[in-house]
Amino acid sequence: MSSGMVYFVGAGPGDVDLITVKGKRALQQADVVIFDRLINPFLLTDVKDDAKLIYCGKQPCKHTLRQEDIQREILIHARKGKTVVRLKGGDPAVFGRVGEEAELLAEHQIDYEIIPGITAGIAATMYSGVPLTHRKHSNSFAIVTGHGSRDDGTPNINWNHLAKGVETIVFYMGVKHLKTITTELIKNGKAKETAALVVQWGTYSKQRTIEGSLATIANQVEQANITNPAIIVVGDVVKLRAKLAWFDNRALTGKSFLIPSKEEANKKLVASLTKQGADVFEHDLLTEESDHLKQEILQQLKLISSEHELVFLSSKSVSAFLKAIGEQGLDLREIYCPIFSIDEAVQSTLQMVGIQSRLVEEVHLTRPILVGGDIEVEDMKANFAGATKELILSTKKVAKKDMEAFTRLIDEQHVNTLLLTSCTEVSHFLKFLEITDVSKERVLEQVTVLCIGRDTSLLLKENKIPVDRYVEKADVTKIIKAFEKNLILAKES
Ligand code: SAH
């Protein structure tokens, strides 16, 4: 069998939009994705439903053994002819060991491409308002590891050359050894007043930045309890932050929203939340399946008679219905019964495909058939008195990649707010919990629940999900206000 293709892809430092277009395309095509601990897990929602995901949670200090396993995995899958993406945080070549991994592929004559990414040292500094070079302040920068091969983990660096030869220095993996780093730099000629900056979780909304000098930064960082992942920047350029800090301190800085389904109606809201500094993870956690229902659908379509009333529950149900008719080799004109829409939006969708319908509220229905996906039908059934029939066109499942992304977003604390903007979203979220066995308590322990609209809040209460923040409309100013209210909640601390 011909060997596959391996793409080494730089995922960027955190902000999901900082992956390259080329990298994203490779990710979407991958059969196998082998990903690191420091990538934003939301990127996984982009992969194919059936892609195999392999986590290689490299922990600091546990490189050696793991590295062999990773290389073996890449080889195994490439040899099976698969398209493999090796997804690495930041840039694959900056402390990312792409050299070793690609070398092995070259030895085995397996094709590969390396797609660069934005490295944390460049992105996190710029998101803190610090450009690495500046005509007046710095003509050079160096990227240096703060973790080294010595027994105590301190880096093996020619401190004298570093301190005297470069104007801006960026250390990776160095927080643990910050005291050693600053002491050595001072000892070797850098003034102790030289500005220094530490940025944790750079480019995420939860980015934290501590600014000081070589003399003070180690203590400041210890007090602020800043741990990895963080970079350290040393040099005069750090002072520019006073003018250029564009990312911090926006109204929603530090907030990260999970919206469990993607709806066109939320487009403006998502853009505004992001503009105000929040991370927004908006994704359909549920995927539709319809192939397994084909037989059943055919039988039900054949049973529709002129005495029935077909009720379309959503615009999607209209297209799914037409698709089913076509796939089954039937003709729409054979369906003789009157047609109804649940609301005006559905009515206009039907009109666009040449079907005139009446709104359900205008008539008393006697033999309705509810047309839609399983959740829609389940949710709507109670509104129709008497005997209803159902034409279920799809059921929901949770794709493995979405489960992986969701679990990691929660477990790695990338999400602190669950945003529910409609009853549909609530139903989808509840269905997600039901299908996956994810504990509702576990999720609620970590997130603040922000709800939009009265009906949404009633449905949440009915399902014993406490609403922590409430706004009437999808209005970003109101959302900001809702967070300002002095309702101090333990889990938000
Ligand atoms: N290849 C990666 C670096 C891997 S080494 C890149 O190009 O960015 C891991 C180190 O990168 C961490 O210890 C930390 O120093 C730094 N790092 C990665 N992501 C970061 C982030 N979002 N903010 C700050 N530092 C980060």
Side-chain angles (χ1 to χ4, degrees):
M1 190 193 289
S2 68
S3 73
M5 178 74 191
V6 178
Y7 295 95
F8 294 95
V9 177
D15 179 340
V16 278
D17 287 339
L18 288 181
I19 187 170
T20 62
V21 175
K22 193 166 182 174
K24 192 160 179 141
R25 202 175 292 144
L27 196 59
Q28 287 164 343
Q29 288 167 1
D31 302 312
V32 181
V33 179
I34 305 176
F35 63 101
D36 276 355
R37 191 172 57 100
L38 280 182
I39 62 136
N40 187 327
F42 193 68
L43 289 171
L44 300 175
T45 58
D46 252 334
V47 309
K48 294 191 291 195
D49 277 1
D50 59 351
K52 185 178 171 71
L53 299 178
I54 302 172
Y55 175 61
C56 48
K58 258 194 203 169
Q59 299 281 342
C61 316
K62 284 191 193 160
H63 283 210
T64 349
L65 224 168
R66 279 283 183 189
Q67 189 59 30
E68 288 162 19
D69 295 341
I70 295 166
Q71 296 187 186
R72 205 180 48 228
E73 287 286 352
I74 300 175
L75 261 186
I76 290 173
H77 294 289
R79 278 185 172 146
K80 283 187 192 158
K82 304 284 183 200
T83 299
V84 180
V85 162
R86 173 75 177 100
L87 191 62
K88 290 166 177 283
D91 180 88
V94 178
F95 307 124
R97 308 189 77 162
V98 79
E100 291 148 73
E101 293 173 19
E103 216 174 298
L104 185 80
L105 297 182
E107 277 165 27
H108 287 83
Q109 273 128 36
I110 289 169
D111 290 338
Y112 63 87
E113 272 187 34
I114 304 179
I115 303 174
I118 304 182
T119 190
I122 289 178
T125 41
M126 205 58 262
Y127 270 52
S128 308
V130 177
L132 293 180
T133 68
H134 188 284
R135 217 156 43 86
K136 288 195 191 133
H137 307 284
S138 170
N139 289 314
S140 59
F141 70 85
I143 281 177
V144 181
T145 174
H147 178 85
S149 49
R150 293 210 179 117
D151 286 350
D152 62 355
T154 53
N156 199 359
I157 288 169
N158 185 329
W159 291 105
N160 190 25
H161 285 184
L162 187 65
K164 300 212 171 80
V166 191
E167 282 148 310
T168 309
I169 314 172
V170 187
F171 291 94
Y172 287 56
M173 301 174 279
V175 183
K176 221 173 122 197
H177 305 298
L178 188 52
K179 191 85 211 154
T180 311
I181 291 169
T182 50
T183 310
E184 289 289 354
L185 287 176
I186 294 170
K187 217 161 75 187
N188 286 277
K190 279 253 184 251
K192 62 179 192 312
E193 299 77 24
T194 310
L197 181 83
V198 170
V199 190
Q200 184 192 34
W201 289 118
T203 78
Y204 285 92
S205 184
K206 62 179 170 181
Q207 167 176 307
R208 283 174 76 199
T209 304
I210 304 280
E211 195 181 338
S213 68
L214 276 183
T216 62
I217 194 86
N219 280 342
Q220 288 171 273
V221 162
E222 201 182 320
Q223 268 171 22
N225 199 17
I226 300 264
T227 51
N228 252 325
I231 47 140
I232 305 156
V233 197
V234 177
D236 288 347
V237 282
V238 167
K239 292 186 187 138
L240 291 164
R241 176 174 153 75
K243 275 193 201 151
L244 300 181
W246 62 274
F247 181 73
D248 305 350
N249 300 324
R250 285 181 287 175
L252 293 174
T253 291
K255 295 275 177 280
S256 41
F257 297 93
L258 178 77
I259 310 179
S261 89
K262 192 161 177 140
E263 284 167 37
E264 191 58 25
N266 285 337
K267 221 168 157 180
K268 243 173 89 184
L269 176 69
V270 169
S272 314
L273 293 172
T274 311
K275 194 157 174 242
Q276 293 297 335
D279 285 336
V280 184
F281 303 119
E282 181 202 25
H283 183 67
D284 279 321
L285 288 177
L286 301 174
T287 309
E288 271 177 9
E289 275 186 309
S290 58
D291 282 359
H292 64 299
L293 296 174
K294 270 190 176 154
Q295 274 310 319
E296 238 168 273
I297 293 174
L298 178 63
Q299 276 167 10
Q300 292 191 43
L301 283 172
K302 284 184 172 164
L303 290 177
I304 300 175
S305 78
S306 57
E307 284 128 52
H308 287 118
E309 295 134 338
L310 269 191
V311 181
F312 286 90
L313 299 178
S314 65
S315 296
K316 233 175 173 175
S317 69
V318 175
S319 48
F321 178 79
L322 294 176
K323 187 167 165 251
I325 297 266
E327 274 176 1
Q328 306 282 4
L330 301 173
D331 192 307
L332 185 58
R333 289 166 298 185
E334 290 165 25
I335 313 269
Y336 276 128
C337 64
I339 291 184
F340 294 86
S341 317
I342 196 80
D343 59 27
E344 279 158 13
V346 179
Q347 191 175 41
S348 92
T349 307
L350 279 164
Q351 207 166 17
M352 297 294 279
V353 292
I355 299 173
Q356 305 304 332
S357 65
R358 294 176 71 185
L359 292 173
V360 278
E361 64 197 26
E362 292 170 358
V363 211
H364 174 71
L365 302 180
T366 50
R367 295 185 66 193
I369 301 182
L370 307 184
V371 185
D374 57 343
I375 303 185
E376 273 163 4
V377 171
E378 196 55 46
D379 285 352
M380 289 292 177
K381 234 165 39 183
N383 300 337
F384 292 84
T388 50
K389 282 189 153 191
E390 298 163 10
L391 175 52
I392 294 187
L393 297 170
S394 62
T395 58
K396 300 283 189 187
K397 68 163 188 175
V398 176
K400 266 200 297 206
K401 49 127 189 176
D402 294 327
M403 184 61 196
E404 182 85 29
F406 176 85
T407 316
R408 291 199 179 281
L409 283 171
I410 295 288
D411 288 353
E412 294 166 17
Q413 305 193 348
H414 290 304
V415 166
N416 55 26
T417 310
L418 177 65
L419 173 53
L420 297 156
T421 71
S422 66
C423 290
T424 313
E425 267 166 28
V426 176
S427 311
H428 282 216
F429 184 63
L430 292 169
K431 185 81 181 176
F432 171 80
L433 294 178
E434 183 192 315
I435 298 177
T436 57
D437 267 347
V438 165
S439 135
K440 183 164 85 182
E441 288 69 31
R442 164 77 190 87
V443 179
L444 296 180
E445 198 179 272
Q446 194 183 312
V447 297
T448 295
V449 177
L450 166 64
C451 154
I452 300 183
R454 210 176 135 64
D455 291 348
T456 321
S457 108
L458 289 175
L459 187 58
L460 281 168
K461 280 180 192 149
E462 224 172 83
N463 286 284
K464 302 205 166 37
I465 298 185
V467 174
D468 302 310
R469 296 282 189 272
Y470 171 79
V471 287
E472 246 158 54
K473 287 196 309 204
D475 174 332
V476 79
T477 326
K478 295 218 162 75
I479 290 180
I480 293 167
K481 278 231 174 74
F483 279 111
E484 279 168 0
K485 281 191 194 141
N486 60 354
L487 263 168
I488 307 290
L489 296 161
K491 60 186 168 190
E492 254 208 328
S493 62

